[in-house]
């Protein structure tokens, strides 16, 4: 009886709970990893325990984060709350993606500069969560007393550097403008002029670049530095100091003893190095259907217990003033050191102009560090690239003529079909009695083609007639195509030109296909020999490069081409040859890309050729030997003609693959030097996602790529007609 009563009570409680209206979970987007993500999960768990509202978190890759926000939120598919740096604030606000903060935000709860960074026209957007800036990490075993000026730094670095042993006094990501900004501001170089426009050609810029170039040329820091390399060298004790942010602390090995101090003062100017100050904030989407709860979550994440968790677990520098009164935060020297370093930091402007300086400065830094440009000329180079990338908005055009043309084409096509259609004595059902079954079989494939091919093609074609700026699309007709084909803003011999990139793309496709076919055919001829031992093992080994995902292979080859730590240069040094800076010149960077793609592509041609070779009757070779034909004559008169029907489609397919081989270009050379090794598809990607989201311009590039490949298709069809006729 007791059990029955318990079951009744349980069922009653469950039904009452089920009858209660369930609150929809809040969607939270972020780009955190590691400790920061773990801390955020704990903070949202605390929020759920306090309010009963569940939070669904979604981690996104940082490179694609902004574009996903700008595409998802306007369509109601985005988050309720998202965490992002303040630098894109004005862009997001201009696209109406953000809801302004409510009265729950109390300025006194946060450091004043963090709230100011989130202001647009006097209105605050977002709740400050953490500060992010750069400081100097020092291995205390190697450097007991950190340098406070650049003069002390220059005196100390030679004693710590032994480049022949792979040891350096300093290492940081010198090719990234975010890490170079402290040097620029320390040498009193402005980034923007009085009108707010980016300013590159200044004495401060030249002096800062010359200083960094000296550190590299005198081998006091390594070349071609990446974040992964800095982490490895610092953890191995082969780098005494590095410049990085609070996120780097989570990557340091427990065995390394270190401390964090403010960046040195520039001795020549007496000005401290001033890194960018980034403010990470919780923003509320303008399209959220739970505005009150979304603001409650955003504020909760920025203060109190959530702030403590993010500080102690995620190792973030809180914007919450009260967090610094906690004993565990006071005892954390990393937090206090970064807070001290942030006092001299330069708040990163939240203007659209800030988003436009990254690529010109990346080009400038790498051109100087690779020796292609003198520091005093680098500012002018950055200014030219800036003007070329951020072209003026094309004039608006009327869509009515285009709509009229489309209507005439549809009407004309329908009329022509009706006039040419012969009169039928039978109905459609009588002529095609099995049409329903045929449609059922074809429908899945047709639906796939419609969704994956035709609709994206029509959308891309339509988008190429528009100009995109801060979320707004305006119809400009053929202006994008005119700008591309006329090379407005740059010469046709510059990397940004469509014609230059097209020439590089054609050269890239031809060289790769020739190498793929020749190497693949050569190996197939060797493996065809019945006297070759272990043929099965060789075949498996030679197919592995094609089986491994190409982005993994690209990253492996990228590491092997490194100037100081790469295996290829290590082999050259072992042979008493001079190591090569592979990505400083077009010829060597192009060769590095080709070598990587050849490694990926020859197995496919080898398999096709091997299959075709095995189908050739051996009696033909026996008859040729009886007639006295040499091996070369047999290859030229028998092998090649019989291989052609099988190899020609493979060559055509391989050329299309190579023409659009984005991964290798993007991951190996990255377009270096200065975009010279970019191909059409990687250039279209950069216009869309790295150059102020010029989607219409990128779509026009894609349409031109389609036209080029369509021409290639027509040519190859004519090439294959004799084979089909025979």
């Amino acid at each position: 009886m007791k059990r029955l009563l318990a079951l009744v009570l349980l069922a009653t409680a469950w039904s009452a709970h089920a009858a209660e209206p369930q609150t929809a979970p809040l969607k939270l987007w972020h780009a955190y990893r590691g400790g920061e993500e773990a801390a955020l999960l704990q903070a949202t768990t605390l929020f759920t325990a306090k309010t009963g509202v569940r939070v669904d978190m979604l981690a996104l890759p940082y490179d694609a984060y902004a574009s996903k926000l700008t595409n998802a939120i306007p369509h109601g598919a985005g988050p309720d709350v998202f965490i992002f740096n303040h630098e894109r604030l004005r862009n997001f606000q201009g696209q109406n993606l953000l809801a302004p903060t409510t009265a729950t935000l109390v300025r006194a709860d946060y450091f004043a500069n963090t709230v100011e960074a989130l202001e647009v026209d006097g209105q605050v957007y977002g709740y400050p969560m953490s500060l992010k800036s750069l400081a100097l990490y020092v291995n205390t075993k190697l450097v007991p007393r950190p340098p406070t000026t650049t003069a002390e730094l220059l005196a100390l670095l030679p004693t710590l550097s032994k480049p022949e042993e792979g040891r350096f006094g300093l290492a940081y990501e010198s090719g990234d403008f975010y890490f170079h900004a402290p040097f620029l501001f320390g040498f009193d170089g402005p980034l923007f002029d009085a009108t707010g426009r980016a300013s590159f050609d200044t004495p401060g810029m030249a002096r800062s670049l010359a200083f960094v170039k000296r550190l590299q040329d005198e081998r006091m820091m390594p070349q071609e530095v990446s974040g992964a390399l800095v982490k490895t060298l610092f953890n191995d004790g082969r780098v005494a100091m590095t410049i990085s942010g609070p996120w780097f602390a989570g990557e340091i090995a427990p065995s390394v003893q270190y401390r964090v101090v403010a960046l040195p003062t520039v001795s020549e100017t007496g000005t401290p190095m001033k890194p960018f100050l980034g403010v990470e904030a919780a923003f509320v989407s303008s399209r959220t259907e739970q505005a009150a709860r979304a603001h409650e979550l955003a504020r909760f994440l920025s203060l109190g217990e959530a702030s403590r968790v993010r500080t102690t677990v995620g190792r973030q520098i809180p914007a919450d003033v009260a967090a610094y009164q906690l004993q565990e935060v006071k005892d954390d020297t990393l937090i206090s050191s970064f807070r001290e370093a942030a006092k001299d930091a330069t708040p990163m402007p939240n203007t659209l102009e800030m988003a436009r300086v990254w690529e010109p400065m990346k080009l400038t830094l790498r051109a100087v560090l690779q020796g292609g440009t003198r520091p005093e000329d680098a500012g002018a180079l950055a200014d030219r690239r800036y003007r070329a990338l951020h072209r003026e908005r094309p004039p608006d055009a009327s869509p009515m003529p285009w709509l009229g043309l489309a209507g005439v084409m549809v009407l004309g096509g329908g009329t022509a079909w009706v006039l040419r259609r012969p009169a039928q004595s039978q109905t459609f059902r009588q002529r095609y009695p099995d049409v329903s079954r045929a449609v059922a079989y074809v429908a899945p494939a047709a639906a796939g083609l419609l969704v994956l091919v035709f609709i994206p093609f029509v959308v891309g074609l339509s988008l190429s007639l528009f100009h995109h700026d801060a979320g707004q699309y305006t119809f400009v007709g053929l202006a994008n195509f005119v700008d591309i084909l006329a090379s407005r803003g740059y010469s046709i011999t510059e990397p940004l030109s469509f014609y230059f990139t097209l020439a590089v793309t054609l050269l890239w496709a031809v060289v790769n296909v020739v190498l793929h076919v020749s190497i693949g055919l050569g190996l197939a001829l060797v493996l065809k020999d019945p006297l070759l031992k272990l043929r099965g093992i060789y075949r498996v080994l030679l197919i592995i490069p094609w089986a491994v995902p190409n982005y993994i292979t690209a990253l492996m080859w990228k590491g092997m081409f490194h100037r100081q730590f790469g295996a290829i240069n290590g082999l050259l040094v072992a042979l008493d040859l001079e190591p090569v800076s592979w990505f400083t010149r077009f010829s060597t960077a192009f060769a590095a890309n080709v070598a990587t793609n050849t490694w990926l592509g020859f197995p496919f041609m080898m398999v096709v050729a091997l299959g075709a070779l095995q189908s050739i009757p051996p009696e033909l070779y026996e008859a040729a030997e009886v007639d006295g034909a040499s091996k070369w004559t047999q290859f030229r008169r028998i092998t090649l003609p019989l291989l052609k029907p099988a190899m020609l489609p493979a060559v055509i397919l391989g050329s299309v693959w190579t023409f659009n081989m984005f991964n290798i270009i993007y991951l190996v050379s990255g377009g270096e030097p200065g975009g010279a090794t970019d191909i059409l598809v990687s250039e279209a990607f950069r216009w869309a996602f790295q150059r102020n989201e010029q989607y219409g311009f990128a779509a026009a590039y894609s349409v031109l790529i389609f036209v080029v490949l369509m021409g290639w298709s027509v040519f190859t069809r004519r090439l294959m007609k004799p084979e089909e006729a025979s």
Side-chain angles (χ1 to χ4, degrees), residues 383-417:
D383 194 57
R384 287 197 302 274
R385 177 57 68 96
Y386 172 86
R387 292 198 305 270
L389 293 179
H390 305 292
R391 59 196 184 96
E392 295 182 3
R393 172 181 168 177
D396 294 352
S398 173
M400 297 309 298
W402 292 84
L403 294 175
L405 178 61
V408 169
M409 292 175 63
V410 171
L411 182 61
T415 303
W417 182 79

mmCIF file of all heavy atoms in Angstrom, residues 383-417:
data_model
loop_
_atom_site.group_PDB
_atom_site.id
_atom_site.type_symbol
_atom_site.label_atom_id
_atom_site.label_comp_id
_atom_site.label_asym_id
_atom_site.label_seq_id
_atom_site.Cartn_x
_atom_site.Cartn_y
_atom_site.Cartn_z
ATOM 1 N N ASP A 383 50.089 51.814 -47.146
ATOM 2 C CA ASP A 383 49.097 52.783 -47.585
ATOM 3 C C ASP A 383 48.538 52.417 -48.961
ATOM 4 O O ASP A 383 47.327 52.536 -49.200
ATOM 5 C CB ASP A 383 49.722 54.177 -47.624
ATOM 6 C CG ASP A 383 48.682 55.273 -47.733
ATOM 7 O OD1 ASP A 383 47.797 55.328 -46.869
ATOM 8 O OD2 ASP A 383 48.741 56.050 -48.707
ATOM 9 N N ARG A 384 49.405 51.938 -49.873
ATOM 10 C CA ARG A 384 48.932 51.520 -51.198
ATOM 11 C C ARG A 384 47.995 50.327 -51.082
ATOM 12 O O ARG A 384 46.956 50.276 -51.741
ATOM 13 C CB ARG A 384 50.118 51.163 -52.106
ATOM 14 C CG ARG A 384 50.911 52.348 -52.592
ATOM 15 C CD ARG A 384 51.770 51.978 -53.788
ATOM 16 N NE ARG A 384 52.685 50.889 -53.506
ATOM 17 C CZ ARG A 384 53.898 51.043 -52.972
ATOM 18 N NH1 ARG A 384 54.328 52.261 -52.663
ATOM 19 N NH2 ARG A 384 54.679 50.001 -52.751
ATOM 20 N N ARG A 385 48.356 49.345 -50.248
ATOM 21 C CA ARG A 385 47.495 48.177 -50.087
ATOM 22 C C ARG A 385 46.159 48.570 -49.428
ATOM 23 O O ARG A 385 45.110 48.058 -49.799
ATOM 24 C CB ARG A 385 48.217 47.116 -49.256
ATOM 25 C CG ARG A 385 47.387 45.865 -48.947
ATOM 26 C CD ARG A 385 46.883 45.170 -50.201
ATOM 27 N NE ARG A 385 47.918 44.580 -50.980
ATOM 28 C CZ ARG A 385 48.289 43.305 -50.916
ATOM 29 N NH1 ARG A 385 47.686 42.498 -50.086
ATOM 30 N NH2 ARG A 385 49.247 42.853 -51.699
ATOM 31 N N TYR A 386 46.217 49.487 -48.486
ATOM 32 C CA TYR A 386 44.998 49.946 -47.826
ATOM 33 C C TYR A 386 44.044 50.573 -48.834
ATOM 34 O O TYR A 386 42.841 50.282 -48.843
ATOM 35 C CB TYR A 386 45.373 50.950 -46.732
ATOM 36 C CG TYR A 386 44.197 51.655 -46.104
ATOM 37 C CD1 TYR A 386 43.511 51.087 -45.047
ATOM 38 C CD2 TYR A 386 43.774 52.896 -46.576
ATOM 39 C CE1 TYR A 386 42.430 51.725 -44.465
ATOM 40 C CE2 TYR A 386 42.695 53.545 -46.003
ATOM 41 C CZ TYR A 386 42.032 52.959 -44.954
ATOM 42 O OH TYR A 386 40.962 53.597 -44.393
ATOM 43 N N ARG A 387 44.547 51.454 -49.698
ATOM 44 C CA ARG A 387 43.687 52.121 -50.690
ATOM 45 C C ARG A 387 43.133 51.123 -51.695
ATOM 46 O O ARG A 387 41.999 51.255 -52.168
ATOM 47 C CB ARG A 387 44.470 53.215 -51.423
ATOM 48 C CG ARG A 387 44.841 54.405 -50.544
ATOM 49 C CD ARG A 387 45.212 55.602 -51.405
ATOM 50 N NE ARG A 387 46.270 55.275 -52.353
ATOM 51 C CZ ARG A 387 47.562 55.404 -52.109
ATOM 52 N NH1 ARG A 387 47.960 55.858 -50.920
ATOM 53 N NH2 ARG A 387 48.454 55.090 -53.016
ATOM 54 N N ALA A 388 43.932 50.109 -52.046
ATOM 55 C CA ALA A 388 43.473 49.121 -53.021
ATOM 56 C C ALA A 388 42.391 48.216 -52.439
ATOM 57 O O ALA A 388 41.445 47.839 -53.134
ATOM 58 C CB ALA A 388 44.656 48.274 -53.499
ATOM 59 N N LEU A 389 42.528 47.867 -51.174
ATOM 60 C CA LEU A 389 41.586 46.930 -50.566
ATOM 61 C C LEU A 389 40.246 47.570 -50.242
ATOM 62 O O LEU A 389 39.204 46.919 -50.337
ATOM 63 C CB LEU A 389 42.181 46.340 -49.284
ATOM 64 C CG LEU A 389 43.390 45.421 -49.445
ATOM 65 C CD1 LEU A 389 43.857 44.946 -48.081
ATOM 66 C CD2 LEU A 389 43.050 44.241 -50.319
ATOM 67 N N HIS A 390 40.263 48.821 -49.869
ATOM 68 C CA HIS A 390 39.039 49.457 -49.396
ATOM 69 C C HIS A 390 38.606 50.504 -50.418
ATOM 70 O O HIS A 390 38.725 51.705 -50.220
ATOM 71 C CB HIS A 390 39.260 50.048 -48.005
ATOM 72 C CG HIS A 390 39.771 49.032 -47.047
ATOM 73 N ND1 HIS A 390 38.997 47.962 -46.616
ATOM 74 C CD2 HIS A 390 40.983 48.849 -46.483
ATOM 75 C CE1 HIS A 390 39.706 47.205 -45.811
ATOM 76 N NE2 HIS A 390 40.911 47.715 -45.718
ATOM 77 N N ARG A 391 38.115 49.985 -51.513
ATOM 78 C CA ARG A 391 37.697 50.810 -52.641
ATOM 79 C C ARG A 391 36.433 51.588 -52.293
ATOM 80 O O ARG A 391 35.685 51.228 -51.372
ATOM 81 C CB ARG A 391 37.434 49.919 -53.856
ATOM 82 C CG ARG A 391 36.378 48.869 -53.625
ATOM 83 C CD ARG A 391 36.399 47.766 -54.662
ATOM 84 N NE ARG A 391 35.300 46.833 -54.424
ATOM 85 C CZ ARG A 391 34.135 46.892 -55.039
ATOM 86 N NH1 ARG A 391 33.924 47.812 -55.950
ATOM 87 N NH2 ARG A 391 33.189 46.032 -54.764
ATOM 88 N N GLU A 392 36.195 52.621 -53.044
ATOM 89 C CA GLU A 392 35.000 53.414 -52.830
ATOM 90 C C GLU A 392 33.758 52.616 -53.226
ATOM 91 O O GLU A 392 33.796 51.778 -54.125
ATOM 92 C CB GLU A 392 35.070 54.708 -53.651
ATOM 93 C CG GLU A 392 36.182 55.649 -53.210
ATOM 94 C CD GLU A 392 36.181 56.928 -54.025
ATOM 95 O OE1 GLU A 392 35.283 57.077 -54.886
ATOM 96 O OE2 GLU A 392 37.073 57.754 -53.810
ATOM 97 N N ARG A 393 32.681 52.932 -52.566
ATOM 98 C CA ARG A 393 31.424 52.246 -52.863
ATOM 99 C C ARG A 393 30.958 52.592 -54.278
ATOM 100 O O ARG A 393 30.887 53.765 -54.636
ATOM 101 C CB ARG A 393 30.377 52.671 -51.845
ATOM 102 C CG ARG A 393 28.980 52.165 -52.153
ATOM 103 C CD ARG A 393 28.009 52.641 -51.109
ATOM 104 N NE ARG A 393 26.631 52.421 -51.520
ATOM 105 C CZ ARG A 393 25.576 52.686 -50.766
ATOM 106 N NH1 ARG A 393 25.753 53.175 -49.554
ATOM 107 N NH2 ARG A 393 24.358 52.463 -51.207
ATOM 108 N N PRO A 394 30.638 51.577 -55.097
ATOM 109 C CA PRO A 394 30.147 51.862 -56.450
ATOM 110 C C PRO A 394 28.821 52.606 -56.400
ATOM 111 O O PRO A 394 28.066 52.489 -55.435
ATOM 112 C CB PRO A 394 29.986 50.468 -57.077
ATOM 113 C CG PRO A 394 30.773 49.548 -56.210
ATOM 114 C CD PRO A 394 30.739 50.142 -54.835
ATOM 115 N N PRO A 395 28.512 53.375 -57.437
ATOM 116 C CA PRO A 395 27.208 54.079 -57.451
ATOM 117 C C PRO A 395 26.053 53.092 -57.544
ATOM 118 O O PRO A 395 26.163 52.031 -58.167
ATOM 119 C CB PRO A 395 27.307 54.959 -58.707
ATOM 120 C CG PRO A 395 28.341 54.298 -59.562
ATOM 121 C CD PRO A 395 29.320 53.670 -58.628
ATOM 122 N N ASP A 396 24.945 53.455 -56.916
ATOM 123 C CA ASP A 396 23.759 52.602 -56.970
ATOM 124 C C ASP A 396 23.222 52.522 -58.396
ATOM 125 O O ASP A 396 23.370 53.448 -59.194
ATOM 126 C CB ASP A 396 22.671 53.150 -56.049
ATOM 127 C CG ASP A 396 23.074 53.084 -54.581
ATOM 128 O OD1 ASP A 396 24.113 52.476 -54.284
ATOM 129 O OD2 ASP A 396 22.344 53.650 -53.754
ATOM 130 N N ALA A 397 22.625 51.389 -58.703
ATOM 131 C CA ALA A 397 22.021 51.184 -60.021
ATOM 132 C C ALA A 397 20.578 50.763 -59.837
ATOM 133 O O ALA A 397 20.183 50.225 -58.791
ATOM 134 C CB ALA A 397 22.794 50.131 -60.809
ATOM 135 N N SER A 398 19.778 50.999 -60.858
ATOM 136 C CA SER A 398 18.371 50.602 -60.803
ATOM 137 C C SER A 398 18.228 49.139 -61.201
ATOM 138 O O SER A 398 18.751 48.714 -62.240
ATOM 139 C CB SER A 398 17.540 51.473 -61.742
ATOM 140 O OG SER A 398 16.204 50.993 -61.811
ATOM 141 N N PRO A 399 17.508 48.352 -60.420
ATOM 142 C CA PRO A 399 17.335 46.933 -60.772
ATOM 143 C C PRO A 399 16.258 46.689 -61.820
ATOM 144 O O PRO A 399 16.129 45.574 -62.318
ATOM 145 C CB PRO A 399 16.935 46.298 -59.438
ATOM 146 C CG PRO A 399 16.246 47.396 -58.701
ATOM 147 C CD PRO A 399 16.920 48.678 -59.111
ATOM 148 N N MET A 400 15.493 47.735 -62.164
ATOM 149 C CA MET A 400 14.360 47.533 -63.067
ATOM 150 C C MET A 400 14.775 46.995 -64.438
ATOM 151 O O MET A 400 14.136 46.067 -64.964
ATOM 152 C CB MET A 400 13.561 48.832 -63.211
ATOM 153 C CG MET A 400 12.940 49.315 -61.901
ATOM 154 S SD MET A 400 11.996 48.013 -61.044
ATOM 155 C CE MET A 400 10.738 47.681 -62.266
ATOM 156 N N PRO A 401 15.832 47.538 -65.090
ATOM 157 C CA PRO A 401 16.227 46.955 -66.387
ATOM 158 C C PRO A 401 16.599 45.486 -66.292
ATOM 159 O O PRO A 401 16.307 44.701 -67.202
ATOM 160 C CB PRO A 401 17.426 47.821 -66.807
ATOM 161 C CG PRO A 401 17.247 49.099 -66.067
ATOM 162 C CD PRO A 401 16.629 48.724 -64.774
ATOM 163 N N TRP A 402 17.216 45.108 -65.171
ATOM 164 C CA TRP A 402 17.606 43.709 -64.999
ATOM 165 C C TRP A 402 16.378 42.826 -64.807
ATOM 166 O O TRP A 402 16.315 41.719 -65.365
ATOM 167 C CB TRP A 402 18.545 43.577 -63.804
ATOM 168 C CG TRP A 402 19.868 44.222 -64.042
ATOM 169 C CD1 TRP A 402 20.187 45.530 -63.888
ATOM 170 C CD2 TRP A 402 21.042 43.575 -64.510
ATOM 171 N NE1 TRP A 402 21.491 45.748 -64.219
ATOM 172 C CE2 TRP A 402 22.044 44.551 -64.601
ATOM 173 C CE3 TRP A 402 21.355 42.263 -64.847
ATOM 174 C CZ2 TRP A 402 23.330 44.272 -65.025
ATOM 175 C CZ3 TRP A 402 22.643 41.965 -65.265
ATOM 176 C CH2 TRP A 402 23.615 42.969 -65.358
ATOM 177 N N LEU A 403 15.419 43.306 -64.034
ATOM 178 C CA LEU A 403 14.196 42.531 -63.856
ATOM 179 C C LEU A 403 13.435 42.414 -65.173
ATOM 180 O O LEU A 403 12.872 41.361 -65.492
ATOM 181 C CB LEU A 403 13.316 43.194 -62.790
ATOM 182 C CG LEU A 403 13.876 43.203 -61.364
ATOM 183 C CD1 LEU A 403 12.970 44.005 -60.431
ATOM 184 C CD2 LEU A 403 14.045 41.780 -60.843
ATOM 185 N N GLY A 404 13.428 43.507 -65.932
ATOM 186 C CA GLY A 404 12.783 43.454 -67.246
ATOM 187 C C GLY A 404 13.461 42.480 -68.177
ATOM 188 O O GLY A 404 12.796 41.712 -68.896
ATOM 189 N N LEU A 405 14.798 42.483 -68.173
ATOM 190 C CA LEU A 405 15.540 41.546 -69.015
ATOM 191 C C LEU A 405 15.251 40.110 -68.622
ATOM 192 O O LEU A 405 15.056 39.237 -69.486
ATOM 193 C CB LEU A 405 17.041 41.842 -68.909
ATOM 194 C CG LEU A 405 17.978 40.915 -69.691
ATOM 195 C CD1 LEU A 405 17.688 40.997 -71.185
ATOM 196 C CD2 LEU A 405 19.435 41.256 -69.401
ATOM 197 N N ALA A 406 15.215 39.846 -67.302
ATOM 198 C CA ALA A 406 14.916 38.488 -66.843
ATOM 199 C C ALA A 406 13.509 38.070 -67.267
ATOM 200 O O ALA A 406 13.282 36.929 -67.703
ATOM 201 C CB ALA A 406 15.056 38.410 -65.323
ATOM 202 N N GLY A 407 12.548 38.998 -67.160
ATOM 203 C CA GLY A 407 11.194 38.673 -67.583
ATOM 204 C C GLY A 407 11.101 38.382 -69.069
ATOM 205 O O GLY A 407 10.413 37.432 -69.494
ATOM 206 N N VAL A 408 11.814 39.166 -69.889
ATOM 207 C CA VAL A 408 11.813 38.942 -71.337
ATOM 208 C C VAL A 408 12.422 37.592 -71.675
ATOM 209 O O VAL A 408 11.918 36.850 -72.539
ATOM 210 C CB VAL A 408 12.559 40.087 -72.049
ATOM 211 C CG1 VAL A 408 12.819 39.741 -73.517
ATOM 212 C CG2 VAL A 408 11.778 41.377 -71.944
ATOM 213 N N MET A 409 13.530 37.228 -70.965
ATOM 214 C CA MET A 409 14.179 35.944 -71.229
ATOM 215 C C MET A 409 13.251 34.782 -70.877
ATOM 216 O O MET A 409 13.150 33.805 -71.629
ATOM 217 C CB MET A 409 15.489 35.849 -70.438
ATOM 218 C CG MET A 409 16.566 36.809 -70.905
ATOM 219 S SD MET A 409 18.048 36.761 -69.867
ATOM 220 C CE MET A 409 18.585 35.076 -70.139
ATOM 221 N N VAL A 410 12.565 34.886 -69.746
ATOM 222 C CA VAL A 410 11.650 33.812 -69.352
ATOM 223 C C VAL A 410 10.482 33.723 -70.330
ATOM 224 O O VAL A 410 10.105 32.630 -70.787
ATOM 225 C CB VAL A 410 11.137 34.051 -67.918
ATOM 226 C CG1 VAL A 410 10.023 33.067 -67.579
ATOM 227 C CG2 VAL A 410 12.275 33.917 -66.922
ATOM 228 N N LEU A 411 9.912 34.883 -70.676
ATOM 229 C CA LEU A 411 8.779 34.898 -71.595
ATOM 230 C C LEU A 411 9.186 34.410 -72.975
ATOM 231 O O LEU A 411 8.487 33.605 -73.608
ATOM 232 C CB LEU A 411 8.200 36.306 -71.675
ATOM 233 C CG LEU A 411 6.957 36.485 -72.571
ATOM 234 C CD1 LEU A 411 5.816 35.621 -72.037
ATOM 235 C CD2 LEU A 411 6.545 37.949 -72.628
ATOM 236 N N GLY A 412 10.376 34.855 -73.434
ATOM 237 C CA GLY A 412 10.849 34.426 -74.749
ATOM 238 C C GLY A 412 11.146 32.944 -74.792
ATOM 239 O O GLY A 412 10.822 32.247 -75.770
ATOM 240 N N GLY A 413 11.755 32.425 -73.712
ATOM 241 C CA GLY A 413 12.041 30.995 -73.676
ATOM 242 C C GLY A 413 10.777 30.172 -73.671
ATOM 243 O O GLY A 413 10.671 29.145 -74.363
ATOM 244 N N GLY A 414 9.779 30.601 -72.893
ATOM 245 C CA GLY A 414 8.518 29.869 -72.869
ATOM 246 C C GLY A 414 7.804 29.910 -74.208
ATOM 247 O O GLY A 414 7.247 28.898 -74.666
ATOM 248 N N THR A 415 7.841 31.060 -74.856
ATOM 249 C CA THR A 415 7.189 31.181 -76.164
ATOM 250 C C THR A 415 7.855 30.292 -77.196
ATOM 251 O O THR A 415 7.184 29.602 -77.985
ATOM 252 C CB THR A 415 7.220 32.648 -76.618
ATOM 253 O OG1 THR A 415 6.590 33.472 -75.627
ATOM 254 C CG2 THR A 415 6.506 32.816 -77.951
ATOM 255 N N ALA A 416 9.200 30.312 -77.202
ATOM 256 C CA ALA A 416 9.923 29.476 -78.166
ATOM 257 C C ALA A 416 9.627 27.999 -77.942
ATOM 258 O O ALA A 416 9.472 27.220 -78.892
ATOM 259 C CB ALA A 416 11.418 29.747 -78.052
ATOM 260 N N TRP A 417 9.514 27.596 -76.673
ATOM 261 C CA TRP A 417 9.243 26.181 -76.390
ATOM 262 C C TRP A 417 7.845 25.792 -76.876
ATOM 263 O O TRP A 417 7.642 24.728 -77.433
ATOM 264 C CB TRP A 417 9.362 25.938 -74.887
ATOM 265 C CG TRP A 417 9.159 24.506 -74.513
ATOM 266 C CD1 TRP A 417 10.050 23.488 -74.612
ATOM 267 C CD2 TRP A 417 7.955 23.928 -73.967
ATOM 268 N NE1 TRP A 417 9.507 22.314 -74.165
ATOM 269 C CE2 TRP A 417 8.210 22.553 -73.766
ATOM 270 C CE3 TRP A 417 6.708 24.441 -73.642
ATOM 271 C CZ2 TRP A 417 7.263 21.693 -73.245
ATOM 272 C CZ3 TRP A 417 5.755 23.589 -73.119
ATOM 273 C CH2 TRP A 417 6.034 22.225 -72.930
#
